[in-house]
Amino acid sequence: MKVKNIFHRCLPVALAFVGAMTASAADGAVESSDTIPYSEALHCDPVLSGIRVGTSFGLNVGMTELLKNTIHEMRPDRSGNNSFPSRHTSWAYSISSIASNELYSYSPWWVLGFHVVSAGVGLQRTWTSRHYPSDVLAGAAIGIGSAALGSWIGEFFYSGRFRSIWPCGVAAEFKASLDVATEALFPFTAIHSFDGIAYRTGDSGFGASMNLTLPVSARLGLLATACMQSLAMECSGSDGSGNTKPYVTSDPLNLMAFSLGGLARLTPDGASPFALDYDLTVGVAHTFNYSTMPAVSFMLRTSLSASWRMTRSFESGARAGYQLLTIPEAASAMTLSLFTRAVF
């Protein structure tokens, strides 16, 4: 369990690092449309692609099985003691990341499609009580990290040197876009009492969101967000003598939310592949599996995102933010997410 706690505390750093790595470029220059960068040539080499895919998935299987067989954590449904990490989520994000790395230069919809599937796998594992949100977050981090590390190692074996495989990028003009994000939530402890039972938010949550941006000016746009989340919960009751029982793990709080708001582009439009955005949305959330809690609550979300435009129609990046949920008392959380975006 100590190993798991250390791993879990490192997740924010790991996710932020992977996001920054994904959004990085070799030299930060804008690539002209009539040149083929070194990375584009690498993506066209089937031998290198095969080496990268094999190395990435091999690393993923090794890392996942090592943790799976050394950390013994009981599953939420009590069906076994091999809950950490989620193997299904790890494999899903590994395959998604590997495929996206090979296909993003052809069409952004390949990447978004794989991202939706892998996020759906993660949500299914928590919503069916097969895994805790922290298990799924760990699986996603392993899947993404092993794909990136395997790609670097694969290129080294092929060319004998480490070199960035990401394109230099194209100018990030502010246009209509749709992004899919995988979210890690780290709630600030909040206690709510219903029917004599005290509930409090746990140490983590897993979520996925889709965000549609429609520009109304050179720097401002409208933002519509749909998200699904699973938050770890703990509960405590009375022992009948007026004494409060210790908190124990309860079912996760599953919810779906829709929100509307605005987005502001903070960097000069079209000056470089890098873009920095700030957004704020408000909306409603519906909870599913706690009959003692209000089914509908209000949600506020705000975040700062950094992205890198890899092609004229695709970019990826990382987002850090804050979320406030009323159920009916306030429950807030820090959010860290990685996203892939199709630009229209």
Side-chain angles (χ1 to χ4, degrees):
M1 187 61 67
K2 290 183 179 179
V3 176
K4 181 200 166 183
N5 291 337
I6 293 172
F7 191 97
H8 178 61
R9 290 191 181 102
C10 292
L11 275 176
V13 178
L15 290 175
F17 170 77
V18 173
M21 173 201 64
T22 302
S24 67
D27 55 12
V30 177
E31 191 73 26
S32 61
S33 60
D34 58 349
T35 61
I36 301 178
Y38 174 73
S39 58
E40 295 287 337
L42 289 181
H43 278 274
C44 296
D45 191 324
V47 176
L48 177 60
S49 293
I51 294 174
R52 279 202 302 250
V53 170
T55 305
S56 297
F57 199 68
L59 284 173
N60 175 266
V61 172
M63 294 168 65
T64 302
E65 295 307 312
L66 176 63
L67 293 173
K68 197 81 170 173
N69 290 282
T70 55
I71 300 177
H72 303 292
E73 177 188 62
M74 187 62 66
R75 291 178 181 268
D77 61 1
R78 321 304 292 180
S79 63
N81 66 342
N82 60 342
S83 185
F84 184 88
S86 169
R87 182 188 288 119
H88 286 77
T89 307
S90 178
W91 287 3
Y93 273 90
S94 176
I95 295 172
S96 173
S97 300
I98 292 170
S100 298
N101 185 43
E102 301 299 326
L103 298 173
Y104 77 86
S105 59
Y106 296 97
S107 171
W109 300 109
W110 283 107
V111 182
L112 266 65
F114 278 110
H115 198 159
V116 168
V117 171
S118 56
V121 170
L123 286 169
Q124 187 272 340
R125 304 312 287 170
T126 55
W127 282 46
T128 57
S129 296
R130 293 293 290 167
H131 285 285
Y132 299 104
S134 56
D135 302 334
V136 174
L137 287 176
I142 293 170
I144 297 170
S146 62
L149 182 60
S151 191
W152 282 348
I153 294 174
E155 185 190 348
F156 176 76
F157 282 128
Y158 184 79
S159 63
R161 58 178 176 174
F162 288 109
R163 186 171 179 179
S164 174
I165 62 170
W166 299 105
C168 293
V170 299
E173 298 178 356
F174 189 37
K175 296 182 177 180
S177 63
L178 176 69
D179 73 64
V180 177
T182 293
E183 301 179 344
L185 297 99
F186 301 96
F188 301 102
T189 301
I191 300 176
H192 315 276
S193 296
F194 302 97
D195 296 335
I197 300 177
Y199 295 92
R200 70 181 184 186
T201 50
D203 59 356
S204 63
F206 175 82
S209 66
M210 297 186 70
N211 304 277
L212 176 65
T213 301
L214 298 174
V216 295
S217 70
R219 287 182 176 254
L220 299 176
L222 300 176
L223 178 64
T225 297
C227 69
M228 299 178 71
Q229 297 177 352
S230 184
L231 299 174
M233 295 289 289
E234 298 174 342
C235 66
S236 173
S238 174
D239 60 6
S241 301
N243 299 319
T244 302
K245 294 181 179 179
Y247 279 94
V248 295
T249 302
S250 181
D251 292 333
L253 176 65
N254 301 325
L255 63 89
M256 177 183 293
F258 299 92
S259 57
L260 297 172
L263 179 145
R265 174 59 55 91
L266 304 180
T267 51
D269 187 37
S272 77
F274 175 77
L276 193 65
D277 299 319
Y278 171 76
D279 65 78
L280 174 67
T281 62
V282 293
V284 294
H286 186 281
T287 57
F288 292 96
N289 56 332
Y290 275 88
S291 59
T292 57
M293 295 185 183
V296 179
S297 58
F298 292 98
M299 174 181 281
L300 180 145
R301 289 162 60 96
T302 184
S303 66
L304 186 68
S305 63
S307 61
W308 190 274
R309 183 75 55 85
M310 295 181 176
T311 70
R312 296 189 184 282
S313 58
F314 173 72
E315 63 188 27
S316 65
R319 183 180 289 128
Y322 173 81
Q323 172 180 297
L324 179 64
L325 185 68
T326 61
I327 49 175
E329 301 172 35
S332 57
M334 179 180 69
T335 63
L336 295 174
S337 60
L338 302 179
F339 63 85
T340 52
R341 175 179 291 157
V343 181
F344 307 130

